[in-house]
């Protein structure tokens, strides 16, 4: 995923600590599992909003917020 690539680059570039990277990877994994669990029945507006918020928060943590 693009977030994983950004995370690896941020970790290698020293913009994020190894501990923070582990935390972000765990959150990313949790969101991916939720996304997969939600997908079979389609996403409700609440589910879509929750996932979007979660991915957005991870992007912010990496300092790569899309504009």
């Amino acid at each position: 995923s693009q977030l994983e690539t950004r995370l690896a680059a941020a970790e290698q570039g020293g913009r994020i600590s190894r501990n923070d990277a582990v935390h972000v990877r765990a959150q990313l994994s949790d969101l991916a599992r939720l996304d997969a669990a939600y997908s079979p029945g389609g996403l409700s507006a609440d589910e879509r909003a929750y996932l979007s918020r979660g991915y957005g928060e991870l992007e912010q943590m990496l300092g790569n917020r899309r504009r």
Side-chain angles (χ1 to χ4, degrees), residues 2-46:
Q2 289 181 358
L3 276 176
E4 178 58 41
T5 301
R6 291 179 195 170
L7 175 57
E11 185 178 13
Q12 289 174 354
R15 294 185 310 269
I16 189 171
S17 73
R18 182 164 172 73
N19 287 338
D20 287 342
V22 167
H23 179 70
V24 171
R25 279 191 182 92
Q27 288 181 310
L28 186 56
S29 179
D30 288 346
L31 286 172
R33 275 193 297 277
L34 273 176
D35 198 0
Y38 289 158
S39 293
L43 295 176
S44 71
D46 287 340

Side-chain angles (χ1 to χ4, degrees), residues 1-3 6 55-56 58-60 63-67:
S1 87
Q2 289 181 358
L3 276 176
R6 291 179 195 170
Y55 285 121
L58 293 180
E59 286 182 349
Q60 267 186 327
N64 293 319
R65 186 75 175 160
R66 290 185 194 161
R67 296 184 193 264

